[in-house]
């Protein structure tokens, strides 16, 4: 039995580090180097694994060079790949970090996780995208993420199937799009009528969580010039899942998750700055955060 199966799509990220500026049409710009790392749902799985969670990825990958690179990187991180349905080719994203933000171009053939691959693992928890709610077994905790494509598909009408979802992660933009509200507070409150907990990421302003009618906000140390914000939301989700599975109180889960994501953006690529559990706990102790009761209990 696995602790966590991540079913959200996985990509090979090609990150151009040290761009002099973003090119406009007809221009050629130069970067210092390019790094190849797993992206998308793999960022959540690797973050959880580095924090001591027994994690696997069920997303389809192609039988190509990109797929081999992703599978190899996952294995190096102790993350199992359990997908049985091959993708026509491995989804790939070009990432251009610059000026504290990033631009991206993605190729995604659209292959998605099969329910049987997830159910066969009897996972304690499943991380899935909004359009894949149906693949989460009834016995598993559902951690649901939302992307730009999901927020457009469900604009103004969040699916009723969110009822009873353990945690829904959305950005401010996604929350407003899903609900049609004009304030993030109203949008979060509406979504919290469905999911048990709603976490709304607020970029440099941290995040807010809504649970049982209570609202918690947390902002970690400010990062004045982040190097690469790619995957910050995926890292936040991975750390939140870790804190939750390790018994932290709802407000503390948010604090650990925001801290984890904020510490990672000073390193290129989605997983470059993802800390281990020991490193994160030390960073949290320096900020008087309360460690999850079971932190360290499952690492071998």
């Amino acid at each position: 039995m696995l602790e966590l199966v991540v079913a959200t799509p996985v990509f090979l990220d090609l990150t151009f580090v040290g761009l002099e500026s973003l090119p406009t049409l007809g221009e050629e710009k130069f970067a210092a180097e390019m790094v190849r790392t797993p992206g998308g749902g793999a960022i959540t799985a690797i973050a959880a694994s580095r924090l001591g969670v027994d994690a696997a990825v069920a997303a389809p990958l192609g039988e190509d060079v990109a797929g081999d690179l992703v599978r190899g990187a996952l294995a190096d991180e102790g993350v199992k790949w359990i997908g049985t349905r091959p993708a026509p080719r491995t989804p790939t994203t070009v990432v251009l970090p610059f000026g504290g933000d990033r631009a991206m171009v993605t190729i995604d053939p659209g292959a998605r996780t099969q329910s049987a691959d997830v159910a066969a693992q009897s996972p304690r928890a499943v991380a899935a995208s909004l359009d894949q709610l149906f693949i989460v077994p009834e016995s598993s905790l559902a951690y649901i993420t939302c992307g730009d494509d999901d927020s457009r598909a469900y604009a103004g009408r969040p699916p009723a199937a969110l009822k009873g979802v353990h945690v829904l992660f959305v950005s401010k933009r996604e929350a407003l799009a899903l609900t049609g509200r004009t304030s993030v507070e109203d949008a979060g409150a509406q979504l919290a009528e469905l999911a048990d907990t709603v976490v709304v990421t607020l970029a440099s302003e941290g995040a807010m969580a809504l649970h049982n009618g209570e609202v918690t906000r947390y902002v970690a140390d400010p990062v004045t010039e982040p190097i690469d914000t790619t995957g910050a939301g995926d890292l936040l989700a991975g750390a939140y899942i870790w804190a939750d599975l390790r018994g932290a109180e709802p407000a503390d889960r948010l604090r650990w998750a925001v801290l984890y994501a904020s510490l990672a953006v000073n390193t290129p690529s989605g997983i470059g700055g993802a800390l281990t559990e020991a490193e994160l706990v030390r960073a949290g102790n320096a900020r008087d955060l309360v460690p999850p009761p079971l932190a360290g209990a499952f690492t071998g």
Side-chain angles (χ1 to χ4, degrees), residues 42-90:
I43 298 173
T44 297
I46 289 172
S49 181
R50 289 186 183 179
L51 293 171
V53 176
D54 186 20
V57 163
L61 294 169
E63 296 176 349
D64 50 19
V65 172
D68 291 342
L69 288 169
V70 172
R71 281 185 287 266
L74 291 173
D76 290 344
E77 294 286 347
V79 175
K80 305 173 184 68
W81 180 66
I82 57 174
T84 59
R85 178 188 180 188
R89 60 182 181 273
T90 299

Side-chain angles (χ1 to χ4, degrees), residues 268-293:
S269 87
I271 63 169
L275 302 181
T276 65
E277 183 181 62
E279 291 168 336
L280 176 60
V281 169
R282 283 197 296 271
N285 287 340
R287 295 162 176 81
D288 296 323
L289 268 62
V290 178

Side-chain angles (χ1 to χ4, degrees), residues 215-276:
V215 179
T216 302
R217 291 178 179 265
Y218 185 69
V219 181
D221 301 345
V223 181
T224 54
E225 294 183 6
I227 294 173
D228 189 357
T229 59
T230 306
D234 302 306
L235 293 168
L236 184 146
Y240 189 101
I241 293 168
W242 161 78
D244 193 4
L245 296 181
R246 297 298 178 259
E249 294 296 321
D252 291 326
R253 298 171 205 163
L254 182 72
R255 296 181 182 110
W256 285 104
V258 171
L259 175 62
Y260 192 78
S262 68
L263 292 174
V265 300
N266 288 314
T267 304
S269 87
I271 63 169
L275 302 181
T276 65

Side-chain angles (χ1 to χ4, degrees), residues 187-212:
Q190 180 177 333
L191 294 171
E193 294 175 2
L194 296 170
D196 294 341
T197 299
V198 175
V199 175
V200 184
T201 58
L202 304 171
S204 62
E205 297 177 9
M208 61 183 288
L210 299 95
H211 175 76
N212 285 344

Side-chain angles (χ1 to χ4, degrees), residues 71-208:
R71 281 185 287 266
L74 291 173
D76 290 344
E77 294 286 347
V79 175
K80 305 173 184 68
W81 180 66
I82 57 174
T84 59
R85 178 188 180 188
R89 60 182 181 273
T90 299
T92 302
T93 296
V94 172
V95 185
L96 305 173
F98 182 75
D101 206 336
R102 76 276 188 269
M104 298 185 292
V105 179
T106 293
I107 297 173
D108 181 3
R112 295 294 181 260
T113 304
Q114 297 186 102
S115 299
D117 287 342
V118 177
Q121 306 301 318
S122 301
R124 182 180 176 190
V126 175
S129 54
L130 187 57
D131 64 343
Q132 292 183 290
L133 277 166
F134 64 92
I135 71 168
V136 182
E138 291 185 5
S139 59
S140 301
L141 297 172
Y143 296 88
I144 302 300
T145 57
C146 179
D148 285 343
D149 50 349
D150 288 328
S151 63
R152 288 192 295 267
Y154 295 100
R157 50 180 188 88
L162 280 171
K163 190 70 175 179
V165 158
H166 187 57
V167 183
L168 171 65
F169 298 95
V170 289
S171 68
K172 177 180 178 179
R173 181 174 59 190
E174 292 159 357
L176 296 177
L178 282 173
T179 61
R181 302 290 184 126
T182 56
S183 78
V184 67
E185 292 80 10
D186 289 344
Q190 180 177 333
L191 294 171
E193 294 175 2
L194 296 170
D196 294 341
T197 299
V198 175
V199 175
V200 184
T201 58
L202 304 171
S204 62
E205 297 177 9
M208 61 183 288

